Amino acid sequence: MDGIGSPDERTDAVRALESEFGELIARFRKVIHASAQRLSPGMLPVAYKTFTTIVRHGPLTPSALAEALTADKGQVSRTVRELESLGLVERRPDPGDGRSSLISATPEGIARLEDARSRDGGGLAATLADWHVDDIRTLARLLHALTSGEAPGR
């Protein structure tokens, strides 16, 4: 069947994947919590995720940030205010829309994130230390295909 497998094989494979994702989510929650604490003691994981989304995709409007996080705009606004008070992000007027703003990471925020990530002794980098770089790239490619709803290229 060209690697597609029988319906029973696919069902078993999907169930195994669901189980592994459950374990991965539990582990990832711990990693995110620890990362948030390294960045700023007392920081909640949602603030860490918001900040890293801004770093990765910014500058963003508040609406685009809420959409990227699939979160409530009010919650995102409160979290951004918290990140501003910590000196991690800043808002500037949106040159394309004077009624809106653009949120971006500050140089201090980026430096603090790099420092927090460099002190990540038990995180993802440590877990993957013995993996071949091609395997890491393959996993990233497959996860991207899964999250974007695309079939993976070979």
Coordinates of all heavy atoms in Angstrom, one line a residue, residues 27-101:
R27 N 5.8 17.0 29.6 CA 7.2 17.3 29.8 C 7.4 18.8 29.3 O 8.2 19.6 30.0 CB 8.1 16.4 28.9 CG 9.6 16.8 29.0 CD 10.5 15.8 28.3 NE 11.7 16.4 28.0 CZ 12.8 16.3 28.7 NH1 12.7 15.7 29.9 NH2 13.9 16.9 28.4
F28 N 6.8 19.2 28.2 CA 7.0 20.5 27.7 C 6.5 21.6 28.7 O 7.0 22.6 28.9 CB 6.3 20.7 26.4 CG 6.8 21.9 25.6 CD1 8.1 22.0 25.1 CD2 5.9 22.9 25.3 CE1 8.5 23.1 24.4 CE2 6.3 24.0 24.6 CZ 7.6 24.1 24.2
R29 N 5.4 21.3 29.4 CA 4.9 22.2 30.4 C 5.9 22.4 31.5 O 6.1 23.6 31.9 CB 3.6 21.6 31.1 CG 2.4 21.8 30.2 CD 1.1 21.3 30.9 NE 0.0 21.5 30.1 CZ -1.1 20.7 30.0 NH1 -1.1 19.7 30.8 NH2 -2.1 21.0 29.2
K30 N 6.6 21.4 31.9 CA 7.7 21.5 32.9 C 8.8 22.4 32.4 O 9.4 23.2 33.1 CB 8.2 20.2 33.3 CG 7.2 19.4 34.2 CD 7.7 18.0 34.5 CE 6.7 17.2 35.2 NZ 7.2 15.8 35.5
V31 N 9.2 22.1 31.1 CA 10.3 22.9 30.5 C 9.9 24.4 30.4 O 10.7 25.2 30.7 CB 10.6 22.3 29.1 CG1 11.5 23.2 28.3 CG2 11.2 20.9 29.2
I32 N 8.7 24.7 30.0 CA 8.3 26.1 29.8 C 8.2 26.8 31.2 O 8.7 27.9 31.3 CB 6.9 26.2 29.1 CG1 7.0 25.7 27.7 CG2 6.3 27.6 29.2 CD1 7.8 26.6 26.8
H33 N 7.7 26.0 32.2 CA 7.7 26.6 33.6 C 9.1 27.0 34.0 O 9.4 28.1 34.5 CB 7.0 25.7 34.5 CG 7.0 26.2 35.9 ND1 6.2 27.1 36.4 CD2 7.8 25.8 37.0 CE1 6.4 27.4 37.6 NE2 7.4 26.6 38.0
A34 N 10.0 26.0 33.8 CA 11.4 26.3 34.3 C 12.1 27.4 33.4 O 12.8 28.2 34.0 CB 12.3 25.0 34.1
S35 N 11.8 27.5 32.2 CA 12.3 28.5 31.3 C 11.8 29.9 31.8 O 12.5 30.9 31.8 CB 11.9 28.3 29.8 OG 12.5 27.1 29.4
A36 N 10.5 29.9 32.1 CA 9.9 31.2 32.6 C 10.6 31.7 33.8 O 10.9 32.8 34.0 CB 8.4 31.0 32.8
Q37 N 10.9 30.7 34.7 CA 11.5 31.1 36.0 C 12.9 31.6 35.8 O 13.4 32.5 36.5 CB 11.5 29.9 37.0 CG 10.1 29.4 37.4 CD 9.2 30.6 37.8 OE1 9.6 31.3 38.8 NE2 8.2 30.8 37.1
R38 N 13.6 31.0 34.8 CA 15.0 31.5 34.5 C 15.0 32.9 33.9 O 15.8 33.7 34.2 CB 15.7 30.5 33.6 CG 16.3 29.3 34.3 CD 17.2 28.5 33.4 NE 16.6 28.2 32.1 CZ 15.8 27.2 31.8 NH1 15.5 26.3 32.8 NH2 15.4 27.0 30.6
L39 N 13.9 33.2 33.1 CA 13.8 34.5 32.5 C 13.5 35.5 33.5 O 14.1 36.6 33.6 CB 12.8 34.5 31.4 CG 12.6 35.8 30.6 CD1 13.9 36.2 29.9 CD2 11.5 35.6 29.6
S40 N 12.5 35.2 34.4 CA 12.1 36.2 35.4 C 11.3 35.4 36.5 O 10.2 34.9 36.3 CB 11.1 37.2 34.8 OG 10.7 38.1 35.8
P41 N 12.0 35.3 37.7 CA 11.3 34.5 38.8 C 9.9 35.0 39.0 O 9.6 36.2 39.1 CB 12.2 34.8 40.0 CG 13.6 35.1 39.4 CD 13.3 35.8 38.1
G42 N 9.0 34.0 39.1 CA 7.6 34.3 39.3 C 6.8 34.4 38.0 O 5.6 34.5 38.0
M43 N 7.5 34.4 36.9 CA 6.8 34.6 35.6 C 6.0 33.3 35.3 O 6.4 32.2 35.5 CB 7.8 34.8 34.4 CG 7.1 34.8 33.1 SD 8.3 35.1 31.7 CE 8.4 36.9 31.8
L44 N 4.7 33.5 34.9 CA 3.9 32.4 34.5 C 4.2 31.9 33.1 O 4.7 32.7 32.2 CB 2.4 32.9 34.5 CG 1.9 33.2 35.9 CD1 0.5 33.8 35.8 CD2 1.9 32.1 36.9
P45 N 4.0 30.7 32.8 CA 4.3 30.1 31.5 C 3.6 30.9 30.4 O 4.2 31.0 29.3 CB 3.8 28.7 31.6 CG 4.0 28.3 33.1 CD 3.6 29.6 33.8
V46 N 2.4 31.4 30.6 CA 1.7 32.1 29.5 C 2.4 33.3 29.1 O 2.5 33.7 28.0 CB 0.2 32.4 29.9 CG1 0.1 33.4 31.0 CG2 -0.6 32.8 28.7
A47 N 3.1 34.0 30.1 CA 3.9 35.2 29.8 C 5.1 34.8 29.0 O 5.5 35.5 28.1 CB 4.2 35.9 31.1
Y48 N 5.7 33.7 29.4 CA 6.9 33.2 28.7 C 6.6 32.9 27.2 O 7.3 33.3 26.3 CB 7.5 32.0 29.4 CG 8.8 31.5 28.7 CD1 10.0 32.1 29.0 CD2 8.7 30.4 27.8 CE1 11.1 31.6 28.3 CE2 9.8 30.0 27.2 CZ 11.1 30.6 27.5 OH 12.2 30.1 26.8
K49 N 5.5 32.2 27.0 CA 5.0 31.9 25.7 C 4.7 33.1 24.9 O 5.1 33.3 23.7 CB 3.8 30.9 25.7 CG 3.2 30.6 24.4 CD 4.2 29.9 23.5 CE 3.5 29.5 22.2 NZ 4.5 29.3 21.1
T50 N 4.1 34.1 25.5 CA 3.7 35.4 24.8 C 5.0 36.1 24.4 O 5.2 36.5 23.3 CB 2.9 36.3 25.8 OG1 1.7 35.6 26.1 CG2 2.6 37.6 25.1
F51 N 6.0 36.1 25.4 CA 7.3 36.8 25.1 C 8.0 36.1 23.9 O 8.5 36.8 23.0 CB 8.1 36.9 26.3 CG 9.5 37.5 26.1 CD1 9.6 38.8 25.6 CD2 10.6 36.8 26.3 CE1 10.8 39.4 25.4 CE2 11.9 37.4 26.1 CZ 12.0 38.7 25.6
T52 N 8.1 34.8 24.0 CA 8.9 34.1 22.9 C 8.2 34.2 21.6 O 8.8 34.2 20.6 CB 9.1 32.6 23.3 OG1 7.9 31.9 23.6 CG2 10.1 32.5 24.5
T53 N 6.8 34.3 21.6 CA 6.1 34.5 20.3 C 6.5 35.9 19.8 O 6.7 36.0 18.6 CB 4.6 34.4 20.6 OG1 4.3 33.0 21.0 CG2 3.8 34.6 19.3
I54 N 6.5 36.9 20.6 CA 6.9 38.2 20.2 C 8.3 38.2 19.6 O 8.6 38.8 18.6 CB 6.8 39.3 21.3 CG1 5.3 39.4 21.7 CG2 7.4 40.6 21.0 CD1 5.1 40.1 23.0
V55 N 9.3 37.5 20.3 CA 10.6 37.5 19.8 C 10.7 36.8 18.5 O 11.4 37.3 17.6 CB 11.5 36.7 20.9 CG1 12.9 36.4 20.3 CG2 11.7 37.5 22.1
R56 N 9.9 35.7 18.3 CA 10.0 34.9 17.1 C 9.3 35.6 15.9 O 9.8 35.6 14.8 CB 9.4 33.6 17.3 CG 9.5 32.6 16.1 CD 9.0 31.3 16.4 NE 9.2 30.4 15.3 CZ 8.6 29.2 15.1 NH1 7.9 28.7 16.1 NH2 8.8 28.5 14.0
H57 N 8.2 36.3 16.2 CA 7.3 36.8 15.1 C 7.2 38.3 15.0 O 6.6 38.8 14.1 CB 5.9 36.2 15.1 CG 5.9 34.7 15.0 ND1 6.1 34.0 13.9 CD2 5.6 33.8 16.0 CE1 6.0 32.7 14.1 NE2 5.7 32.6 15.3
G58 N 7.8 39.0 16.0 CA 7.6 40.4 16.1 C 8.3 41.2 15.1 O 9.1 40.7 14.4
P59 N 8.0 42.5 15.1 CA 7.0 43.2 15.9 C 5.6 42.8 15.4 O 5.4 42.5 14.2 CB 7.3 44.7 15.7 CG 8.2 44.8 14.5 CD 8.8 43.4 14.3
L60 N 4.7 42.8 16.4 CA 3.3 42.4 16.1 C 2.3 43.4 16.7 O 2.6 44.0 17.7 CB 3.0 41.0 16.8 CG 3.7 39.8 16.3 CD1 3.6 38.7 17.4 CD2 3.2 39.3 15.0
T61 N 1.2 43.5 16.0 CA 0.1 44.3 16.6 C -0.5 43.4 17.7 O -0.4 42.2 17.7 CB -1.0 44.6 15.6 OG1 -1.6 43.4 15.2 CG2 -0.5 45.4 14.4
P62 N -1.2 44.0 18.7 CA -1.9 43.2 19.7 C -2.8 42.2 19.1 O -2.9 41.1 19.6 CB -2.6 44.3 20.6 CG -1.8 45.5 20.4 CD -1.3 45.5 19.0
S63 N -3.6 42.5 18.1 CA -4.5 41.6 17.5 C -3.8 40.4 16.8 O -4.2 39.3 17.0 CB -5.3 42.3 16.4 OG -6.2 43.3 17.0
A64 N -2.7 40.7 16.1 CA -1.9 39.6 15.5 C -1.3 38.7 16.6 O -1.2 37.5 16.4 CB -0.8 40.2 14.6
L65 N -0.9 39.3 17.7 CA -0.3 38.5 18.8 C -1.4 37.6 19.4 O -1.1 36.4 19.6 CB 0.3 39.4 19.8 CG 0.9 38.7 21.1 CD1 2.0 37.8 20.7 CD2 1.4 39.8 22.0
A66 N -2.5 38.1 19.6 CA -3.6 37.3 20.2 C -4.0 36.2 19.2 O -4.2 35.1 19.6 CB -4.9 38.2 20.4
E67 N -4.0 36.5 17.9 CA -4.3 35.5 16.9 C -3.2 34.4 16.9 O -3.5 33.2 16.8 CB -4.4 36.1 15.5 CG -4.8 35.1 14.5 CD -5.1 35.7 13.1 OE1 -5.6 36.9 13.1 OE2 -4.7 35.1 12.1
A68 N -1.9 34.8 16.9 CA -0.8 33.8 16.9 C -0.9 32.9 18.2 O -0.5 31.7 18.1 CB 0.5 34.6 16.9
L69 N -1.4 33.5 19.3 CA -1.4 32.7 20.5 C -2.8 32.0 20.7 O -3.0 31.2 21.6 CB -1.2 33.6 21.7 CG 0.2 34.2 21.8 CD1 0.2 35.3 22.9 CD2 1.2 33.1 22.2
T70 N -3.7 32.2 19.8 CA -5.1 31.8 19.9 C -5.6 32.1 21.3 O -6.1 31.2 22.0 CB -5.3 30.3 19.5 OG1 -4.5 29.5 20.3 CG2 -5.0 30.1 18.1
A71 N -5.5 33.4 21.7 CA -5.8 33.8 23.0 C -6.7 35.0 23.0 O -6.8 35.7 22.0 CB -4.5 34.2 23.8
D72 N -7.4 35.3 24.1 CA -8.2 36.4 24.3 C -7.4 37.7 24.3 O -6.4 37.8 24.9 CB -9.0 36.2 25.6 CG -9.8 37.4 26.0 OD1 -10.8 37.6 25.4 OD2 -9.3 38.2 26.9
K73 N -7.9 38.7 23.5 CA -7.2 40.0 23.4 C -7.0 40.6 24.8 O -5.9 41.2 25.0 CB -7.9 40.9 22.5 CG -7.8 40.5 21.0 CD -8.6 41.5 20.1 CE -8.6 41.0 18.7 NZ -9.4 41.9 17.8
G74 N -7.9 40.5 25.7 CA -7.8 41.1 27.0 C -6.7 40.5 27.8 O -5.9 41.2 28.4
Q75 N -6.6 39.1 27.7 CA -5.5 38.4 28.4 C -4.2 38.8 27.8 O -3.2 39.0 28.6 CB -5.7 36.9 28.4 CG -4.6 36.1 29.0 CD -4.4 36.4 30.5 OE1 -5.3 36.5 31.2 NE2 -3.2 36.5 30.9
V76 N -4.1 38.8 26.5 CA -2.8 39.2 25.8 C -2.4 40.6 26.2 O -1.2 40.9 26.5 CB -3.0 39.1 24.3 CG1 -1.8 39.7 23.6 CG2 -3.1 37.6 23.9
S77 N -3.4 41.5 26.3 CA -3.1 42.9 26.7 C -2.5 43.0 28.1 O -1.5 43.7 28.4 CB -4.3 43.8 26.6 OG -4.0 45.1 26.9
R78 N -3.1 42.2 29.0 CA -2.6 42.2 30.4 C -1.2 41.6 30.5 O -0.3 42.1 31.2 CB -3.5 41.4 31.3 CG -4.8 42.2 31.6 CD -5.7 41.5 32.6 NE -6.2 40.2 32.1 CZ -7.3 40.1 31.4 NH1 -8.0 41.1 31.0 NH2 -7.7 38.9 31.0
T79 N -1.0 40.5 29.7 CA 0.3 39.9 29.7 C 1.4 40.8 29.1 O 2.5 40.9 29.6 CB 0.3 38.6 28.9 OG1 -0.7 37.7 29.5 CG2 1.6 37.8 28.9
V80 N 1.0 41.5 28.0 CA 2.0 42.4 27.4 C 2.4 43.6 28.4 O 3.5 43.9 28.5 CB 1.4 43.0 26.1 CG1 2.3 44.2 25.6 CG2 1.4 41.9 25.0
R81 N 1.4 44.1 29.1 CA 1.7 45.1 30.2 C 2.7 44.5 31.2 O 3.6 45.2 31.6 CB 0.4 45.6 30.8 CG -0.3 46.6 30.0 CD -1.4 47.3 30.8 NE -2.4 46.5 31.4 CZ -3.5 46.0 30.9 NH1 -3.7 46.4 29.6 NH2 -4.4 45.3 31.5
E82 N 2.5 43.3 31.6 CA 3.4 42.6 32.5 C 4.8 42.6 31.9 O 5.8 42.9 32.6 CB 3.0 41.2 32.9 CG 3.9 40.5 33.7 CD 3.6 39.0 33.9 OE1 2.4 38.6 33.7 OE2 4.4 38.2 34.3
L83 N 4.9 42.2 30.7 CA 6.2 42.1 30.0 C 6.9 43.4 29.8 O 8.1 43.6 29.9 CB 6.0 41.4 28.6 CG 5.6 39.9 28.6 CD1 5.3 39.4 27.2 CD2 6.6 39.0 29.3
E84 N 6.0 44.5 29.6 CA 6.6 45.8 29.5 C 7.2 46.3 30.8 O 8.2 46.8 30.9 CB 5.5 46.8 29.1 CG 5.1 46.8 27.7 CD 4.0 47.8 27.4 OE1 2.9 47.7 28.0 OE2 4.2 48.7 26.5
S85 N 6.4 45.9 31.9 CA 6.9 46.3 33.3 C 8.2 45.7 33.6 O 9.0 46.2 34.4 CB 5.9 46.1 34.3 OG 5.7 44.7 34.6
L86 N 8.5 44.5 33.0 CA 9.7 43.8 33.3 C 10.8 44.2 32.3 O 12.0 43.8 32.4 CB 9.5 42.3 33.1 CG 8.6 41.6 34.1 CD1 8.2 40.2 33.6 CD2 9.2 41.6 35.5
G87 N 10.5 45.1 31.4 CA 11.5 45.6 30.5 C 11.8 44.7 29.3 O 12.8 44.8 28.6
L88 N 10.9 43.7 29.1 CA 11.2 42.7 28.1 C 10.6 43.1 26.7 O 11.2 42.7 25.7 CB 10.6 41.4 28.5 CG 11.1 40.8 29.8 CD1 10.3 39.5 30.2 CD2 12.6 40.5 29.7
V89 N 9.6 43.9 26.7 CA 9.0 44.3 25.4 C 8.6 45.8 25.5 O 8.6 46.4 26.6 CB 7.7 43.5 25.1 CG1 7.9 42.0 25.0 CG2 6.5 43.8 26.0
E90 N 8.4 46.4 24.3 CA 8.0 47.8 24.2 C 7.0 47.9 23.1 O 6.9 47.1 22.2 CB 9.2 48.6 23.9 CG 9.9 48.3 22.6 CD 11.2 49.1 22.4 OE1 11.6 49.9 23.2 OE2 11.8 48.9 21.3
R91 N 6.2 48.9 23.2 CA 5.1 49.2 22.2 C 5.6 50.5 21.5 O 6.0 51.4 22.2 CB 3.8 49.5 22.9 CG 3.1 48.3 23.5 CD 1.8 48.7 24.0 NE 1.4 47.9 25.1 CZ 0.2 47.3 25.2 NH1 -0.7 47.4 24.3 NH2 0.0 46.6 26.3
R92 N 5.3 50.5 20.2 CA 5.6 51.7 19.4 C 4.3 51.9 18.5 O 3.7 50.9 18.2 CB 6.8 51.5 18.5 CG 8.1 51.4 19.4 CD 9.3 51.6 18.5 NE 10.5 51.7 19.3 CZ 11.6 51.1 19.1 NH1 11.7 50.3 18.0 NH2 12.6 51.2 19.9
P93 N 4.1 53.1 18.1 CA 2.9 53.3 17.2 C 3.1 52.5 15.9 O 4.2 52.4 15.4 CB 3.0 54.8 16.9 CG 3.7 55.4 18.1 CD 4.7 54.4 18.5
D94 N 2.1 52.0 15.4 CA 2.1 51.3 14.1 C 2.1 52.3 13.0 O 1.1 53.0 12.9 CB 0.9 50.3 14.1 CG 0.8 49.5 12.8 OD1 1.6 49.8 11.9 OD2 0.0 48.6 12.7
P95 N 3.1 52.4 12.2 CA 3.2 53.4 11.1 C 2.1 53.2 10.1 O 1.7 54.1 9.4 CB 4.6 53.2 10.5 CG 5.1 51.9 11.0 CD 4.3 51.6 12.3
G96 N 1.6 51.9 10.0 CA 0.5 51.6 9.0 C -0.9 51.9 9.6 O -1.8 51.9 8.8
D97 N -1.0 52.1 10.9 CA -2.3 52.3 11.5 C -2.1 53.0 12.8 O -1.7 52.5 13.8 CB -3.0 51.0 11.7 CG -4.4 51.1 12.4 OD1 -4.8 52.2 12.7 OD2 -5.1 50.1 12.5
G98 N -2.4 54.3 12.7 CA -2.1 55.2 13.9 C -2.9 54.8 15.1 O -2.6 55.3 16.2
R99 N -4.0 54.0 15.0 CA -4.8 53.6 16.1 C -4.2 52.4 16.8 O -4.7 52.1 17.9 CB -6.2 53.3 15.7 CG -6.9 54.5 15.0 CD -8.2 54.0 14.3 NE -7.7 53.1 13.2 CZ -8.5 52.4 12.5 NH1 -9.8 52.4 12.7 NH2 -8.1 51.6 11.5
S100 N -3.3 51.8 16.2 CA -2.7 50.5 16.8 C -1.2 50.7 17.2 O -0.6 51.8 16.9 CB -2.8 49.4 15.8 OG -2.5 48.2 16.3
S101 N -0.7 49.7 17.8 CA 0.7 49.7 18.2 C 1.4 48.4 17.7 O 0.7 47.4 17.4 CB 0.9 49.9 19.7 OG 0.2 48.8 20.3

